[in-house]
Amino acid sequence: MTLTPDNLFGIHTRALDLWQRRTEVLANNLANADTPGYLARDVDFRKVLAAAGGGPDGLPLQASTPGQIGTAGQAADALAYRVPTQPSMDGNTVDAQAEQAAFAANGVHYQASLSFITAQIRMLRTAISGGQG
């Protein structure tokens, strides 16, 4: 069996890519909070992760070079417009407080996936070294 990041760290390697993409999307929403007509967007995390795991609604995998699987195209496909809770008169659908809360929660999710991967690396190092230093 060939060891790859996917079978060493599970879904967390894909999750990191998606949390990063979502950070960019949420930051873009916050940056455009005062732009007339701007429509807030978000990543449909569950849809992309299910597709990456081979779910029934599977998005086709896109490889930029042979042997490499990229998730950027998948995350872009999973961008959806956010349904506004309080539409503004200028057509902007960004709710700054909701975006800030989503941004903070996204950071926690990113950190959790990163912590899991770090713990797995520590366990691998321990197994390789036989528990010696």
PDB file of all heavy atoms in Angstrom, residues 16 19 23 101-115:
ATOM      1  N   LEU A  16      -8.517  21.100   5.027  1.00  0.00           N
ATOM      2  CA  LEU A  16      -7.666  22.287   5.135  1.00  0.00           C
ATOM      3  C   LEU A  16      -7.763  23.163   3.898  1.00  0.00           C
ATOM      4  O   LEU A  16      -7.857  24.387   4.000  1.00  0.00           O
ATOM      5  CB  LEU A  16      -6.202  21.888   5.362  1.00  0.00           C
ATOM      6  CG  LEU A  16      -5.800  21.519   6.775  1.00  0.00           C
ATOM      7  CD1 LEU A  16      -4.341  21.095   6.807  1.00  0.00           C
ATOM      8  CD2 LEU A  16      -6.036  22.663   7.740  1.00  0.00           C
ATOM      9  N   TRP A  19     -11.205  24.863   4.058  1.00  0.00           N
ATOM     10  CA  TRP A  19     -11.283  25.913   5.082  1.00  0.00           C
ATOM     11  C   TRP A  19     -10.523  27.144   4.606  1.00  0.00           C
ATOM     12  O   TRP A  19     -10.952  28.278   4.831  1.00  0.00           O
ATOM     13  CB  TRP A  19     -10.721  25.440   6.420  1.00  0.00           C
ATOM     14  CG  TRP A  19     -11.499  24.352   7.103  1.00  0.00           C
ATOM     15  CD1 TRP A  19     -10.974  23.193   7.600  1.00  0.00           C
ATOM     16  CD2 TRP A  19     -12.902  24.297   7.397  1.00  0.00           C
ATOM     17  NE1 TRP A  19     -11.974  22.439   8.164  1.00  0.00           N
ATOM     18  CE2 TRP A  19     -13.169  23.091   8.056  1.00  0.00           C
ATOM     19  CE3 TRP A  19     -13.978  25.152   7.151  1.00  0.00           C
ATOM     20  CZ2 TRP A  19     -14.433  22.712   8.486  1.00  0.00           C
ATOM     21  CZ3 TRP A  19     -15.248  24.781   7.570  1.00  0.00           C
ATOM     22  CH2 TRP A  19     -15.470  23.577   8.234  1.00  0.00           C
ATOM     23  N   THR A  23     -12.052  30.835   3.926  1.00  0.00           N
ATOM     24  CA  THR A  23     -11.489  32.038   4.548  1.00  0.00           C
ATOM     25  C   THR A  23     -11.384  33.151   3.518  1.00  0.00           C
ATOM     26  O   THR A  23     -11.742  34.302   3.795  1.00  0.00           O
ATOM     27  CB  THR A  23     -10.103  31.734   5.153  1.00  0.00           C
ATOM     28  OG1 THR A  23     -10.248  30.762   6.191  1.00  0.00           O
ATOM     29  CG2 THR A  23      -9.452  32.977   5.726  1.00  0.00           C
ATOM     30  N   ALA A 101     -18.799  36.296  12.255  1.00  0.00           N
ATOM     31  CA  ALA A 101     -19.015  35.077  13.036  1.00  0.00           C
ATOM     32  C   ALA A 101     -18.608  33.841  12.236  1.00  0.00           C
ATOM     33  O   ALA A 101     -17.952  32.930  12.760  1.00  0.00           O
ATOM     34  CB  ALA A 101     -20.481  34.975  13.458  1.00  0.00           C
ATOM     35  N   ALA A 102     -18.968  33.802  10.955  1.00  0.00           N
ATOM     36  CA  ALA A 102     -18.596  32.678  10.095  1.00  0.00           C
ATOM     37  C   ALA A 102     -17.083  32.618   9.926  1.00  0.00           C
ATOM     38  O   ALA A 102     -16.492  31.535   9.921  1.00  0.00           O
ATOM     39  CB  ALA A 102     -19.282  32.796   8.740  1.00  0.00           C
ATOM     40  N   PHE A 103     -16.443  33.787   9.811  1.00  0.00           N
ATOM     41  CA  PHE A 103     -14.990  33.858   9.661  1.00  0.00           C
ATOM     42  C   PHE A 103     -14.302  33.288  10.900  1.00  0.00           C
ATOM     43  O   PHE A 103     -13.356  32.500  10.791  1.00  0.00           O
ATOM     44  CB  PHE A 103     -14.566  35.306   9.419  1.00  0.00           C
ATOM     45  CG  PHE A 103     -13.137  35.473   8.997  1.00  0.00           C
ATOM     46  CD1 PHE A 103     -12.793  35.403   7.660  1.00  0.00           C
ATOM     47  CD2 PHE A 103     -12.142  35.714   9.922  1.00  0.00           C
ATOM     48  CE1 PHE A 103     -11.473  35.562   7.246  1.00  0.00           C
ATOM     49  CE2 PHE A 103     -10.824  35.869   9.523  1.00  0.00           C
ATOM     50  CZ  PHE A 103     -10.485  35.795   8.189  1.00  0.00           C
ATOM     51  N   ALA A 104     -14.779  33.661  12.085  1.00  0.00           N
ATOM     52  CA  ALA A 104     -14.205  33.157  13.340  1.00  0.00           C
ATOM     53  C   ALA A 104     -14.413  31.649  13.475  1.00  0.00           C
ATOM     54  O   ALA A 104     -13.488  30.915  13.834  1.00  0.00           O
ATOM     55  CB  ALA A 104     -14.828  33.889  14.527  1.00  0.00           C
ATOM     56  N   ALA A 105     -15.621  31.171  13.180  1.00  0.00           N
ATOM     57  CA  ALA A 105     -15.908  29.738  13.267  1.00  0.00           C
ATOM     58  C   ALA A 105     -15.054  28.962  12.264  1.00  0.00           C
ATOM     59  O   ALA A 105     -14.552  27.873  12.571  1.00  0.00           O
ATOM     60  CB  ALA A 105     -17.384  29.475  13.015  1.00  0.00           C
ATOM     61  N   ASN A 106     -14.869  29.523  11.081  1.00  0.00           N
ATOM     62  CA  ASN A 106     -14.050  28.885  10.061  1.00  0.00           C
ATOM     63  C   ASN A 106     -12.612  28.735  10.550  1.00  0.00           C
ATOM     64  O   ASN A 106     -11.976  27.706  10.306  1.00  0.00           O
ATOM     65  CB  ASN A 106     -14.101  29.711   8.773  1.00  0.00           C
ATOM     66  CG  ASN A 106     -13.513  28.980   7.600  1.00  0.00           C
ATOM     67  OD1 ASN A 106     -14.065  27.993   7.145  1.00  0.00           O
ATOM     68  ND2 ASN A 106     -12.377  29.462   7.121  1.00  0.00           N
ATOM     69  N   GLY A 107     -12.106  29.738  11.235  1.00  0.00           N
ATOM     70  CA  GLY A 107     -10.750  29.669  11.787  1.00  0.00           C
ATOM     71  C   GLY A 107     -10.603  28.550  12.806  1.00  0.00           C
ATOM     72  O   GLY A 107      -9.583  27.858  12.853  1.00  0.00           O
ATOM     73  N   VAL A 108     -11.641  28.347  13.612  1.00  0.00           N
ATOM     74  CA  VAL A 108     -11.629  27.265  14.602  1.00  0.00           C
ATOM     75  C   VAL A 108     -11.600  25.913  13.895  1.00  0.00           C
ATOM     76  O   VAL A 108     -10.842  25.012  14.271  1.00  0.00           O
ATOM     77  CB  VAL A 108     -12.856  27.369  15.546  1.00  0.00           C
ATOM     78  CG1 VAL A 108     -12.995  26.130  16.415  1.00  0.00           C
ATOM     79  CG2 VAL A 108     -12.751  28.628  16.402  1.00  0.00           C
ATOM     80  N   HIS A 109     -12.403  25.763  12.842  1.00  0.00           N
ATOM     81  CA  HIS A 109     -12.429  24.506  12.079  1.00  0.00           C
ATOM     82  C   HIS A 109     -11.073  24.241  11.420  1.00  0.00           C
ATOM     83  O   HIS A 109     -10.577  23.111  11.431  1.00  0.00           O
ATOM     84  CB  HIS A 109     -13.520  24.537  11.013  1.00  0.00           C
ATOM     85  CG  HIS A 109     -14.896  24.555  11.561  1.00  0.00           C
ATOM     86  ND1 HIS A 109     -15.391  23.571  12.389  1.00  0.00           N
ATOM     87  CD2 HIS A 109     -15.909  25.440  11.407  1.00  0.00           C
ATOM     88  CE1 HIS A 109     -16.640  23.850  12.720  1.00  0.00           C
ATOM     89  NE2 HIS A 109     -16.968  24.989  12.135  1.00  0.00           N
ATOM     90  N   TYR A 110     -10.480  25.268  10.845  1.00  0.00           N
ATOM     91  CA  TYR A 110      -9.172  25.135  10.208  1.00  0.00           C
ATOM     92  C   TYR A 110      -8.144  24.671  11.235  1.00  0.00           C
ATOM     93  O   TYR A 110      -7.369  23.746  10.988  1.00  0.00           O
ATOM     94  CB  TYR A 110      -8.751  26.470   9.584  1.00  0.00           C
ATOM     95  CG  TYR A 110      -7.432  26.405   8.846  1.00  0.00           C
ATOM     96  CD1 TYR A 110      -7.399  26.090   7.495  1.00  0.00           C
ATOM     97  CD2 TYR A 110      -6.227  26.647   9.499  1.00  0.00           C
ATOM     98  CE1 TYR A 110      -6.198  26.022   6.801  1.00  0.00           C
ATOM     99  CE2 TYR A 110      -5.026  26.574   8.818  1.00  0.00           C
ATOM    100  CZ  TYR A 110      -5.016  26.263   7.479  1.00  0.00           C
ATOM    101  OH  TYR A 110      -3.834  26.183   6.805  1.00  0.00           O
ATOM    102  N   GLN A 111      -8.148  25.317  12.396  1.00  0.00           N
ATOM    103  CA  GLN A 111      -7.192  24.978  13.447  1.00  0.00           C
ATOM    104  C   GLN A 111      -7.399  23.553  13.952  1.00  0.00           C
ATOM    105  O   GLN A 111      -6.433  22.840  14.230  1.00  0.00           O
ATOM    106  CB  GLN A 111      -7.300  25.972  14.614  1.00  0.00           C
ATOM    107  CG  GLN A 111      -6.212  25.809  15.642  1.00  0.00           C
ATOM    108  CD  GLN A 111      -4.826  26.040  15.064  1.00  0.00           C
ATOM    109  OE1 GLN A 111      -4.609  26.949  14.291  1.00  0.00           O
ATOM    110  NE2 GLN A 111      -3.867  25.205  15.444  1.00  0.00           N
ATOM    111  N   ALA A 112      -8.653  23.094  14.030  1.00  0.00           N
ATOM    112  CA  ALA A 112      -8.930  21.725  14.475  1.00  0.00           C
ATOM    113  C   ALA A 112      -8.367  20.704  13.489  1.00  0.00           C
ATOM    114  O   ALA A 112      -7.743  19.713  13.894  1.00  0.00           O
ATOM    115  CB  ALA A 112     -10.430  21.524  14.647  1.00  0.00           C
ATOM    116  N   SER A 113      -8.554  20.936  12.201  1.00  0.00           N
ATOM    117  CA  SER A 113      -7.999  20.024  11.199  1.00  0.00           C
ATOM    118  C   SER A 113      -6.477  20.041  11.237  1.00  0.00           C
ATOM    119  O   SER A 113      -5.833  18.991  11.148  1.00  0.00           O
ATOM    120  CB  SER A 113      -8.490  20.398   9.794  1.00  0.00           C
ATOM    121  OG  SER A 113      -9.848  20.071   9.636  1.00  0.00           O
ATOM    122  N   LEU A 114      -5.900  21.214  11.397  1.00  0.00           N
ATOM    123  CA  LEU A 114      -4.448  21.335  11.472  1.00  0.00           C
ATOM    124  C   LEU A 114      -3.912  20.617  12.716  1.00  0.00           C
ATOM    125  O   LEU A 114      -2.890  19.934  12.647  1.00  0.00           O
ATOM    126  CB  LEU A 114      -4.055  22.811  11.484  1.00  0.00           C
ATOM    127  CG  LEU A 114      -2.599  23.138  11.233  1.00  0.00           C
ATOM    128  CD1 LEU A 114      -2.138  22.584   9.893  1.00  0.00           C
ATOM    129  CD2 LEU A 114      -2.406  24.643  11.274  1.00  0.00           C
ATOM    130  N   SER A 115      -4.598  20.738  13.836  1.00  0.00           N
ATOM    131  CA  SER A 115      -4.187  20.053  15.069  1.00  0.00           C
ATOM    132  C   SER A 115      -4.238  18.543  14.903  1.00  0.00           C
ATOM    133  O   SER A 115      -3.365  17.821  15.391  1.00  0.00           O
ATOM    134  CB  SER A 115      -5.076  20.477  16.240  1.00  0.00           C
ATOM    135  OG  SER A 115      -4.882  21.837  16.526  1.00  0.00           O
TER     136      SER A 115
END
